[in-house]
Amino acid sequence: HTFDQILPSRIYFDLHPTWYSLKYGQRKKDGTQLCLTNQKMRRQFVANALEWLKKNPQAEYLAISQNDNQSYCDCASCKSVLAEEGAQSGAILRFVNAVAEEIEKVHPDMKIVTLAYQYTEKPPRKTRPRCNVIVQLCSIDSSSAQPLLSGAQNKDFAKNFFAWRKICQSLLIWNYMANFHNYLIPFPDYRVVGSNIRNFSRNNVTGIFAQGDSQSITGDFLPMRAWVVAHLLWNPKADVNALRKEFLSGYYGEAGPILDQYLNCLSDELEKSGAKLSCTLNDTSWITLAGLNRATALFDQARDKVKGNSPLEQRVDIAGMPLEALWLEFLKK
């Protein structure tokens, strides 16, 4: 999210309010986007971007992407672009292409990366990315309960993915693998991680950023997630179930096979509920009391398996904290 980093509203807004988005009849200094059809703004943006690159001579990529809010510009000029393109991504891609063209004159090998994110997830009708522009499609509004490219809950994302894939020379993915509203409770996407990475690879995605929980040390099986995802990114054809079992047994000893049953229990609960698993989920509606009791019984068995082995006991205890947090959330209802 670099619009405000490259052209900070705190510096430029007071003198140039029309450089920033018009929303509900007002130009806003805070929580804003850029007015992407403003030519003077674009010239200053290019100048600032080139200054960035002077300070980072080893850079191979430059991110030029929307701020993390919904305040896209509603001025008449930007609305006319929307009418032509049929999607908000049209204005951003036209702007990024124009900036990329100027940067190419000074840095011919530089790649410009922009996000297809939230209101720009849908691709434009007409505009295509320049040869030095890379689109990174973000799955933030999708469900991690089902595969991103084949699950019924993710039809819109899949439609947008294949449309972008058709018009992009290079396509990146930003995939979300955590609950950013509550890192401490389980996030049972265990069964879709492998198929997502494999399907993206099959469809010629250039690269994947797998964003997990980097904020806590007691989140949902973080060591296992990092290990399994790293192996899958290295080899998308790898068997995700075999990888998971290998890690669980290697890291948790005799508790590993029971913890595998525990993870399957959570996955079964999610699938039976039919709930969407959002990366901003605020409730525990996907699990039943019976499911929680079953998961707890399995975890108790796992603890018994490593009793007396201090390092393994500590690892299992840390892995059990998300289950305890889930109980607390569940009992709030």
Side-chain angles (χ1 to χ4, degrees):
H1 306 294
T2 61
F3 279 0
D4 201 59
Q5 295 180 49
I6 297 175
L7 200 75
S9 59
R10 70 181 186 279
I11 295 174
Y12 293 98
F13 182 86
D14 290 342
L15 286 176
H16 306 285
T18 58
W19 288 7
Y20 298 90
S21 55
L22 180 71
K23 204 71 179 171
Y24 306 116
Q26 292 184 325
R27 304 277 179 180
K28 294 176 57 181
K29 186 173 185 177
D30 299 319
T32 189
Q33 300 283 353
L34 298 175
C35 178
L36 295 166
T37 55
N38 189 300
Q39 301 302 308
K40 290 182 179 179
M41 178 278 293
R42 191 176 78 195
R43 287 194 289 271
Q44 185 64 58
F45 192 98
V46 170
N48 289 7
L50 289 172
E51 282 299 312
W52 264 32
L53 295 175
K54 278 185 184 178
K55 297 173 184 176
N56 297 276
Q58 304 304 314
E60 299 178 20
Y61 299 86
L62 176 64
I64 298 179
S65 48
Q66 67 206 67
N67 298 325
D68 197 3
N69 62 59
Q70 300 282 335
S71 297
Y72 51 84
C73 188
D74 283 333
C75 77
S77 182
C78 288
K79 279 187 171 181
S80 70
V81 176
L82 174 61
E84 278 188 58
E85 297 283 6
Q88 290 289 348
S89 58
I92 283 194
L93 198 53
R94 289 186 187 189
F95 172 75
V96 171
N97 280 348
V99 174
E101 185 176 5
E102 294 303 310
I103 289 175
E104 186 180 46
K105 295 173 183 177
V106 183
H107 300 277
D109 297 324
M110 181 66 58
K111 297 296 183 185
I112 309 302
V113 183
T114 193
L115 300 179
Y117 173 77
Q118 291 186 330
Y119 66 86
T120 59
E121 181 184 308
K122 181 182 175 182
R125 187 181 295 139
K126 295 182 177 181
T127 303
R128 301 293 180 258
R130 288 188 89 249
C131 58
N132 61 334
V133 171
I134 299 174
V135 172
Q136 185 164 29
L137 176 62
C138 305
S139 63
I140 192 164
D141 292 325
S142 302
S143 169
S144 292
Q146 297 177 1
L148 289 169
L149 297 187
S150 59
Q153 293 177 348
N154 295 317
K155 287 181 179 179
D156 289 342
F157 178 84
K159 180 180 178 181
N160 290 330
F161 169 83
F162 287 112
W164 280 114
R165 177 65 277 174
K166 187 175 180 181
I167 66 174
C168 291
Q169 296 180 39
S170 184
L171 182 64
L172 301 176
I173 295 295
W174 187 319
N175 192 20
Y176 302 81
M177 298 181 177
N179 180 355
F180 301 110
H181 279 192
N182 192 337
Y183 287 116
L184 300 182
I185 64 173
F187 189 75
D189 64 342
Y190 323 115
R191 289 178 178 165
V192 304
V193 169
S195 62
N196 283 339
I197 293 174
R198 188 162 50 251
N199 288 338
F200 286 136
S201 176
R202 286 172 178 167
N203 284 282
N204 301 315
V205 161
T206 307
I208 301 171
F209 171 41
Q211 184 182 6
D213 172 6
S214 63
Q215 303 297 313
S216 69
I217 60 171
T218 58
D220 187 33
F221 280 83
L222 300 184
M224 180 198 76
R225 288 178 175 280
W227 193 86
V228 169
V229 170
H231 276 271
L232 290 169
L233 292 173
W234 185 260
N235 176 19
K237 295 180 181 178
D239 185 331
V240 64
N241 292 321
L243 287 172
R244 188 173 87 185
K245 289 177 180 178
E246 181 181 351
F247 181 88
L248 291 174
S249 293
Y251 193 71
Y252 299 105
E254 290 186 38
I258 299 172
L259 292 177
D260 189 57
Q261 294 178 50
Y262 161 81
L263 295 174
N264 280 319
C265 173
L266 296 184
S267 296
D268 289 342
E269 284 288 301
L270 176 63
E271 289 177 9
K272 284 189 294 185
S273 74
K276 292 184 177 180
L277 187 62
S278 162
C279 65
T280 56
L281 191 66
N282 278 320
D283 64 63
T284 58
S285 59
W286 56 271
I287 195 163
T288 63
L289 179 59
L292 262 175
N293 283 325
R294 191 159 51 249
T296 303
L298 288 167
F299 230 102
D300 289 343
Q301 292 176 41
R303 287 192 172 96
D304 288 341
K305 287 289 184 179
V306 295
K307 191 171 290 184
N309 186 323
S310 183
L312 295 185
E313 278 187 318
Q314 184 181 44
R315 292 177 184 177
V316 172
D317 282 342
I318 291 173
M321 288 183 180
L323 177 60
E324 295 174 16
L326 184 61
W327 268 108
L328 291 173
E329 291 295 324
F330 185 86
L331 292 172
K332 285 181 184 178
K333 293 191 294 185

